[in-house]
Amino acid sequence: MPLPFLTADRAFGPDAECADDAALPFEDHDHEYWRRPYRPGPWRVAAAALLLLLASFMLLATMIIAFAGALPGAGVCLAAAAAVIGCALRLLHMGVWVSRHGLRQVGFFATTTLPWHQVTDVRTVQQPVRWLGLPRTVQGQALVVVQHGGEQLPALLTDHNADFLARAEAFDRAADTVEAWGAEYGL
């Protein structure tokens, strides 16, 4: 079953052709799709895999409970397993998405969409960033967006989040790609 939210731009895949030639690998402007300019990182994928493993045990427990004849208990267990599967999929869907219409930051509970015409600057800065989304901060790089009026949004990407921890080159490529989309459509 293909999962379209796991696909990254073709320019960054292992079989990439001319990855250095095109900053915007998708030049087909007829498509209106949102794209993530990077692949989900190993920390995010590992957490989702553990959640899916937990959900499989929960579904097995659901089957055992249902065969034992306790259907209300099986229904509760099935609903809990469905919630865990939904959390795993949402965890994989989180990140920054771009299209010709704007920039979208997908969080676990909320999604923020910013049209390109409201963006004045997209840049990489050195600042304290959260380590794996935890309260602990370390010095690192962050991709920030500045709106009209000088309002700076929270960091879109950091080199210490679940997608880019210990993957500096991947962070640089993703930040450059988002900056290229901003230069093409908004700035």
Side-chain angles (χ1 to χ4, degrees), residues 49-63 81 84-85:
L50 287 175
L51 285 175
L52 291 174
L53 181 65
L54 175 65
S56 70
F57 287 119
M58 293 172 77
L59 289 172
L60 181 64
T62 300
M63 185 181 68
V84 171
I85 291 170

Side-chain angles (χ1 to χ4, degrees), residues 33-108:
Y33 301 117
W34 290 93
R35 294 176 174 88
R36 183 181 3 214
Y38 57 91
R39 295 179 190 271
W43 290 91
R44 185 175 310 282
V45 173
L50 287 175
L51 285 175
L52 291 174
L53 181 65
L54 175 65
S56 70
F57 287 119
M58 293 172 77
L59 289 172
L60 181 64
T62 300
M63 185 181 68
I64 292 170
I65 292 171
F67 286 150
L71 293 181
V76 169
C77 197
L78 180 64
V84 171
I85 291 170
C87 288
L89 292 176
R90 185 65 180 186
L91 188 65
L92 288 173
H93 191 67
M94 289 172 53
V96 175
W97 297 73
V98 293
S99 79
R100 60 185 274 184
H101 298 291
L103 183 68
R104 179 174 286 172
Q105 186 173 20
V106 178
F108 193 78

